[in-house]
Amino acid sequence: MDLFAKLIKMLAFVISTLGSFITVAIVLGCLLIISLFTPVYSQALLFVLNQLGLPNNARLQQPPTAIVVLGGGLTNNRQNDIVINQYTRARLEQAEQLYQRFQLPIIVSGKESPWMMRWLQQHNIWWVVPETKSFNTCENAKFTAQTIKVSNVILVTDPYHMNRARRQFALNGIATLPSSAPLPKPTQWSNLTANLQHSRRATYEMLAFARDIFYPQAECRSK
């Protein structure tokens, strides 16, 4: 009977402990879901992304000789014409400010590059070199390195994408000075939709960074 009583007592302890763990897990899960709709989640992941190590050659050793702008996508307008989306436009606006300051050639990289070049030309910037082959970040770096001989550039993309992009450019022999273009809608405690957009962007980049390290895309693997 004593053994049976001890078993019952032990079982009750296990159930109680499991119940506590489950309660804590549920509370933490709820807090995580709630944080997705606030600036807390995206800013926490952005902090982590910016702490991830980069190759030693990622930082500029000499003055930049070009501005590289990574495409952020295309969309259709009301006339059903293909145009740059709001993410690409934000990056181009950042590049325009940099051009006015440094007067360096602008390399536009990605499938969006013809539209990006047209936007820059409409803003009286003609010193533009298009890189049209790439479809992802790895190819942005690879084909930029092949398109024009540059080793030190100012890199323009959004803040969540920046560290991963800098890593890929460093792996292709290009040092970068980051110049982040903000997402079109900033985080605000009262703007749940914008906060969720930032949370999705941060989550994607965290997973993509891990993928690039542990299981890189075929074209990104070391030969």
Side-chain angles (χ1 to χ4, degrees), residues 49 160-161 164 200-210:
L49 283 167
Y160 302 107
H161 185 222
R164 184 165 71 92
R200 287 198 304 263
R201 188 79 183 95
T203 300
Y204 173 84
E205 285 302 329
M206 182 64 73
L207 295 174
F209 203 110

Side-chain angles (χ1 to χ4, degrees), residues 42-63:
S42 60
Q43 291 306 303
L45 281 194
L46 180 59
F47 175 80
V48 173
L49 283 167
N50 288 334
Q51 304 310 306
L52 297 175
L54 295 175
N56 292 332
N57 65 329
R59 291 167 180 80
L60 290 187
Q61 301 299 321
Q62 298 177 358

Side-chain angles (χ1 to χ4, degrees), residues 24 42 88-89 100 102 119 124 129 131 141 151 168 185 189:
V24 171
S42 60
T88 301
R89 181 178 294 107
Q100 299 301 334
F102 295 104
W119 188 95
N124 294 317
V129 179
E131 181 286 295
S151 56
Q168 291 295 344
K185 295 181 179 180
W189 286 95

Side-chain angles (χ1 to χ4, degrees), residues 104-132:
L104 294 173
I106 297 178
I107 303 170
V108 288
S109 178
K111 65 182 184 297
E112 310 92 336
S113 59
W115 290 268
M116 296 167 72
M117 183 167 64
R118 188 178 306 128
W119 188 95
L120 290 167
Q121 291 172 346
Q122 290 171 349
H123 289 75
N124 294 317
I125 299 176
W126 299 89
W127 200 3
V128 184
V129 179
E131 181 286 295
T132 60

